[in-house]
Amino acid sequence: MTKIDTTRARAALVPRQAPYWQRVDCGLFVGLRLMETGAVTWNLRYRFGDRQHYRTLGSLLQLPEADRFKHAAEVARQFSAQFADPHGQASIDVRPSAPVRIPIRKGNGQRGPCNLYRHFNAQDQLLYVGISNSAIARLKGHQRNGASHWVDEIAYMTVETFLTRDVALAMERTAIKRERPLYNIQHNGTDADVAPVCGCR
């Protein structure tokens, strides 16, 4: 098990598809996913019964580097506590303690944030990469229309937010080419300049 609880330990890690996991309690883990693009995503994993449960916390860039693991571990304990609540009423606050202000610069692309999402199975294999104005709504669309035969394999997802659709499209194309998700077709295995896998909705 890799240690990710110190700035020094995290600096020694190399990018890869699967998160690095560190145990914080029985069956409870904090994960850190490092991409070759430089993107960082913190994740939680908790085994309750015979199932693994996941939650994504995002980049946590709004927190000081030294405080990110501590914050993730605190949220992880809140996350696991909801399964011990017989009424399922335990609340989970995943918001960082300090707000972040992001300057939005004018550009030629479509304005407004756009999500880049990745779906993973329980073995941390990357299933699919896509973009959408709402990653959650897009997931429901995959589930509803039945066209995505792999949707039942999804165990968790990670989400990054970019300020414009154009930026998200470029990052999606790069992610698919480099990370080789199992169920993307466009951009996967070719350098041809083709249309995006899915547009923002």
Side-chain angles (χ1 to χ4, degrees), residues 9 17 28 31 35 74 76 138 142 154 165-166 178 181 200:
Q17 287 191 18
L28 182 63
M35 304 305 303
E74 290 174 353
R138 183 60 179 146
H142 282 303
I154 299 173
R165 179 176 181 272
D166 287 347
R178 289 183 176 178
C200 281

PDB file of all heavy atoms in Angstrom, residues 9 17 28 31 35 74 76 138 142 154 165-166 178 181 200:
ATOM      1  N   ALA A   9       5.791  12.298   0.099  1.00  0.00           N
ATOM      2  CA  ALA A   9       5.407  10.992  -0.449  1.00  0.00           C
ATOM      3  C   ALA A   9       4.678  11.151  -1.776  1.00  0.00           C
ATOM      4  O   ALA A   9       4.917  10.395  -2.728  1.00  0.00           O
ATOM      5  CB  ALA A   9       4.540  10.242   0.558  1.00  0.00           C
ATOM      6  N   GLN A  17      -3.165   5.236 -14.380  1.00  0.00           N
ATOM      7  CA  GLN A  17      -4.625   5.243 -14.447  1.00  0.00           C
ATOM      8  C   GLN A  17      -5.265   4.983 -13.089  1.00  0.00           C
ATOM      9  O   GLN A  17      -6.188   5.680 -12.686  1.00  0.00           O
ATOM     10  CB  GLN A  17      -5.117   4.193 -15.438  1.00  0.00           C
ATOM     11  CG  GLN A  17      -4.895   4.548 -16.893  1.00  0.00           C
ATOM     12  CD  GLN A  17      -5.629   3.596 -17.811  1.00  0.00           C
ATOM     13  OE1 GLN A  17      -6.541   2.889 -17.413  1.00  0.00           O
ATOM     14  NE2 GLN A  17      -5.212   3.565 -19.061  1.00  0.00           N
ATOM     15  N   LEU A  28     -11.462   1.211   4.986  1.00  0.00           N
ATOM     16  CA  LEU A  28     -11.630   2.592   4.533  1.00  0.00           C
ATOM     17  C   LEU A  28     -10.312   3.127   3.978  1.00  0.00           C
ATOM     18  O   LEU A  28      -9.276   3.047   4.643  1.00  0.00           O
ATOM     19  CB  LEU A  28     -12.098   3.467   5.701  1.00  0.00           C
ATOM     20  CG  LEU A  28     -12.380   4.935   5.408  1.00  0.00           C
ATOM     21  CD1 LEU A  28     -13.530   5.085   4.409  1.00  0.00           C
ATOM     22  CD2 LEU A  28     -12.713   5.666   6.713  1.00  0.00           C
ATOM     23  N   GLY A  31      -7.765   7.695  -1.714  1.00  0.00           N
ATOM     24  CA  GLY A  31      -7.008   7.452  -2.937  1.00  0.00           C
ATOM     25  C   GLY A  31      -6.614   8.742  -3.626  1.00  0.00           C
ATOM     26  O   GLY A  31      -7.300   9.762  -3.512  1.00  0.00           O
ATOM     27  N   MET A  35      -2.639  11.983 -13.202  1.00  0.00           N
ATOM     28  CA  MET A  35      -2.660  11.774 -14.639  1.00  0.00           C
ATOM     29  C   MET A  35      -1.436  12.406 -15.290  1.00  0.00           C
ATOM     30  O   MET A  35      -0.823  13.330 -14.742  1.00  0.00           O
ATOM     31  CB  MET A  35      -3.932  12.398 -15.244  1.00  0.00           C
ATOM     32  CG  MET A  35      -5.215  11.879 -14.625  1.00  0.00           C
ATOM     33  SD  MET A  35      -5.332  10.077 -14.709  1.00  0.00           S
ATOM     34  CE  MET A  35      -5.194   9.811 -16.463  1.00  0.00           C
ATOM     35  N   GLU A  74     -10.769  12.963   6.847  1.00  0.00           N
ATOM     36  CA  GLU A  74     -11.921  13.368   7.662  1.00  0.00           C
ATOM     37  C   GLU A  74     -13.229  13.099   6.923  1.00  0.00           C
ATOM     38  O   GLU A  74     -14.198  12.599   7.507  1.00  0.00           O
ATOM     39  CB  GLU A  74     -11.802  14.845   8.018  1.00  0.00           C
ATOM     40  CG  GLU A  74     -10.692  15.158   9.016  1.00  0.00           C
ATOM     41  CD  GLU A  74     -10.516  16.643   9.245  1.00  0.00           C
ATOM     42  OE1 GLU A  74     -11.172  17.436   8.528  1.00  0.00           O
ATOM     43  OE2 GLU A  74      -9.733  17.016  10.130  1.00  0.00           O
ATOM     44  N   ALA A  76     -13.604  10.926   4.556  1.00  0.00           N
ATOM     45  CA  ALA A  76     -13.730   9.471   4.445  1.00  0.00           C
ATOM     46  C   ALA A  76     -14.413   8.889   5.675  1.00  0.00           C
ATOM     47  O   ALA A  76     -15.259   7.989   5.562  1.00  0.00           O
ATOM     48  CB  ALA A  76     -12.354   8.843   4.248  1.00  0.00           C
ATOM     49  N   ARG A 138     -25.235  12.898 -17.377  1.00  0.00           N
ATOM     50  CA  ARG A 138     -24.765  12.074 -18.487  1.00  0.00           C
ATOM     51  C   ARG A 138     -24.747  10.599 -18.105  1.00  0.00           C
ATOM     52  O   ARG A 138     -25.096   9.731 -18.916  1.00  0.00           O
ATOM     53  CB  ARG A 138     -23.361  12.536 -18.912  1.00  0.00           C
ATOM     54  CG  ARG A 138     -22.807  11.781 -20.110  1.00  0.00           C
ATOM     55  CD  ARG A 138     -23.685  11.944 -21.331  1.00  0.00           C
ATOM     56  NE  ARG A 138     -23.146  11.248 -22.476  1.00  0.00           N
ATOM     57  CZ  ARG A 138     -23.878  10.663 -23.413  1.00  0.00           C
ATOM     58  NH1 ARG A 138     -25.199  10.694 -23.335  1.00  0.00           N
ATOM     59  NH2 ARG A 138     -23.311  10.055 -24.427  1.00  0.00           N
ATOM     60  N   HIS A 142     -26.614   7.394 -19.911  1.00  0.00           N
ATOM     61  CA  HIS A 142     -26.036   6.093 -20.275  1.00  0.00           C
ATOM     62  C   HIS A 142     -26.914   4.968 -19.739  1.00  0.00           C
ATOM     63  O   HIS A 142     -27.169   3.965 -20.414  1.00  0.00           O
ATOM     64  CB  HIS A 142     -24.628   5.946 -19.682  1.00  0.00           C
ATOM     65  CG  HIS A 142     -23.567   6.685 -20.431  1.00  0.00           C
ATOM     66  ND1 HIS A 142     -23.310   6.495 -21.766  1.00  0.00           N
ATOM     67  CD2 HIS A 142     -22.668   7.618 -20.012  1.00  0.00           C
ATOM     68  CE1 HIS A 142     -22.313   7.273 -22.147  1.00  0.00           C
ATOM     69  NE2 HIS A 142     -21.901   7.966 -21.095  1.00  0.00           N
ATOM     70  N   ILE A 154     -19.748  -0.077 -14.052  1.00  0.00           N
ATOM     71  CA  ILE A 154     -19.244   1.124 -13.386  1.00  0.00           C
ATOM     72  C   ILE A 154     -19.322   0.973 -11.873  1.00  0.00           C
ATOM     73  O   ILE A 154     -20.374   0.698 -11.318  1.00  0.00           O
ATOM     74  CB  ILE A 154     -20.041   2.366 -13.820  1.00  0.00           C
ATOM     75  CG1 ILE A 154     -19.903   2.597 -15.322  1.00  0.00           C
ATOM     76  CG2 ILE A 154     -19.556   3.608 -13.044  1.00  0.00           C
ATOM     77  CD1 ILE A 154     -20.795   3.701 -15.851  1.00  0.00           C
ATOM     78  N   ARG A 165     -15.971  24.487 -22.910  1.00  0.00           N
ATOM     79  CA  ARG A 165     -16.163  23.223 -23.614  1.00  0.00           C
ATOM     80  C   ARG A 165     -14.945  22.898 -24.484  1.00  0.00           C
ATOM     81  O   ARG A 165     -14.533  21.736 -24.592  1.00  0.00           O
ATOM     82  CB  ARG A 165     -17.415  23.307 -24.474  1.00  0.00           C
ATOM     83  CG  ARG A 165     -17.719  22.056 -25.297  1.00  0.00           C
ATOM     84  CD  ARG A 165     -19.041  22.232 -26.041  1.00  0.00           C
ATOM     85  NE  ARG A 165     -19.377  21.058 -26.810  1.00  0.00           N
ATOM     86  CZ  ARG A 165     -18.987  20.841 -28.067  1.00  0.00           C
ATOM     87  NH1 ARG A 165     -18.208  21.726 -28.680  1.00  0.00           N
ATOM     88  NH2 ARG A 165     -19.346  19.745 -28.711  1.00  0.00           N
ATOM     89  N   ASP A 166     -14.363  23.919 -25.120  1.00  0.00           N
ATOM     90  CA  ASP A 166     -13.221  23.686 -25.993  1.00  0.00           C
ATOM     91  C   ASP A 166     -12.049  23.065 -25.235  1.00  0.00           C
ATOM     92  O   ASP A 166     -11.385  22.146 -25.730  1.00  0.00           O
ATOM     93  CB  ASP A 166     -12.770  25.000 -26.645  1.00  0.00           C
ATOM     94  CG  ASP A 166     -13.738  25.475 -27.722  1.00  0.00           C
ATOM     95  OD1 ASP A 166     -14.596  24.667 -28.124  1.00  0.00           O
ATOM     96  OD2 ASP A 166     -13.632  26.631 -28.148  1.00  0.00           O
ATOM     97  N   ARG A 178      -4.162   8.677 -24.506  1.00  0.00           N
ATOM     98  CA  ARG A 178      -3.095   8.262 -23.595  1.00  0.00           C
ATOM     99  C   ARG A 178      -3.517   7.128 -22.674  1.00  0.00           C
ATOM    100  O   ARG A 178      -2.716   6.252 -22.349  1.00  0.00           O
ATOM    101  CB  ARG A 178      -2.646   9.459 -22.749  1.00  0.00           C
ATOM    102  CG  ARG A 178      -1.878  10.505 -23.524  1.00  0.00           C
ATOM    103  CD  ARG A 178      -1.410  11.614 -22.600  1.00  0.00           C
ATOM    104  NE  ARG A 178      -0.597  12.588 -23.313  1.00  0.00           N
ATOM    105  CZ  ARG A 178      -0.088  13.685 -22.751  1.00  0.00           C
ATOM    106  NH1 ARG A 178      -0.329  13.935 -21.481  1.00  0.00           N
ATOM    107  NH2 ARG A 178       0.641  14.528 -23.458  1.00  0.00           N
ATOM    108  N   PRO A 181      -9.168   3.954 -22.624  1.00  0.00           N
ATOM    109  CA  PRO A 181     -10.338   3.377 -21.948  1.00  0.00           C
ATOM    110  C   PRO A 181     -10.921   2.221 -22.761  1.00  0.00           C
ATOM    111  O   PRO A 181     -10.817   2.192 -23.993  1.00  0.00           O
ATOM    112  CB  PRO A 181     -11.323   4.553 -21.869  1.00  0.00           C
ATOM    113  CG  PRO A 181     -10.868   5.508 -22.921  1.00  0.00           C
ATOM    114  CD  PRO A 181      -9.388   5.357 -23.021  1.00  0.00           C
ATOM    115  N   CYS A 200     -21.030  18.356 -24.881  1.00  0.00           N
ATOM    116  CA  CYS A 200     -21.576  18.810 -23.604  1.00  0.00           C
ATOM    117  C   CYS A 200     -23.087  18.886 -23.706  1.00  0.00           C
ATOM    118  O   CYS A 200     -23.628  19.290 -24.722  1.00  0.00           O
ATOM    119  CB  CYS A 200     -21.037  20.191 -23.247  1.00  0.00           C
ATOM    120  SG  CYS A 200     -19.377  20.129 -22.576  1.00  0.00           S
TER     121      CYS A 200
END
